[in-house]
Amino acid sequence: MINIENIKTFVKKTLGCSCPEEVFKYIDCQSNIKLNDDILLSNKINIGNRLLIYVVQNNDQDTLKDVLPLLVNTGKKERDDLRFNRFRLVIATDKLSEIKENAEIIFQKIEKDEKIHLHIVSKKDIPVFLKPG
């Protein structure tokens, strides 16, 4: 079962989304989505069929150069195929300062549009999106 309030708070406060309230009338969240043999999304969140969010956990700086472009391109393609407005990629990590600096450098070099955003957050800032049951 989806924890709507946790998702709304995360999207608005942690990610700084200023989506209008009516967008939050529809929220879908899936967990453990395998993109390929190497990449597992912790969560994929749909906000109002307008905003697509991928949440992935990563503590390994060395894999970022390969994983980040793939995540951005996959998210962009899904956003465009579904005709959503925005895509936000969230990397949750225990090594915030280390991962953030490296990820931002890599992200700057990736070809993308202004409706794709990268967020690096501490794992402890990721709430429970799905309630058991």
Side-chain angles (χ1 to χ4, degrees), residues 115-133:
K115 294 184 177 188
I116 296 174
H117 304 276
L118 175 67
H119 302 271
I120 314 298
V121 301
S122 173
K123 279 185 187 176
K124 66 178 173 37
D125 292 333
I126 303 289
V128 174
F129 296 132
L130 298 170
K131 299 175 194 174

Side-chain angles (χ1 to χ4, degrees), residues 6-118:
N6 280 2
I7 292 174
K8 280 176 73 172
T9 300
F10 176 74
V11 172
K12 288 180 168 187
K13 299 223 185 313
T14 306
L15 302 185
C17 178
S18 58
C19 293
E21 192 59 36
E22 70 260 12
V23 173
F24 292 95
K25 287 183 179 166
Y26 175 79
I27 296 175
D28 184 44
C29 181
Q30 301 170 28
S31 62
N32 300 321
I33 309 293
K34 199 168 179 147
L35 290 186
N36 65 24
D37 289 340
D38 300 320
I39 301 174
L40 177 72
L41 296 180
S42 301
N43 298 96
K44 180 165 76 169
I45 304 170
N46 169 351
I47 306 291
N49 293 319
R50 288 173 148 178
L51 171 61
L52 175 64
I53 302 168
Y54 283 0
V55 179
V56 64
Q57 296 192 18
N58 187 315
N59 285 319
D60 183 6
Q61 243 193 126
D62 296 333
T63 63
L64 281 177
K65 68 182 182 320
D66 297 322
V67 170
L68 206 52
L70 180 66
L71 286 165
V72 169
N73 291 330
T74 303
K76 179 185 184 307
K77 181 179 181 336
E78 184 171 0
R79 177 204 68 185
D80 293 347
D81 289 349
L82 296 173
R83 296 194 166 120
F84 284 17
N85 295 339
R86 296 194 182 275
F87 168 61
R88 293 180 183 259
L89 173 60
V90 178
I91 298 178
T93 183
D94 292 321
K95 300 177 178 179
L96 194 57
S97 57
E98 179 181 315
I99 295 291
K100 185 174 177 107
E101 184 178 339
N102 196 20
E104 287 175 350
I105 290 168
I106 295 165
F107 186 71
Q108 290 302 318
K109 296 176 184 174
I110 298 171
E111 189 176 317
K112 61 197 167 304
D113 57 46
E114 71 284 350
K115 294 184 177 188
I116 296 174
H117 304 276
L118 175 67

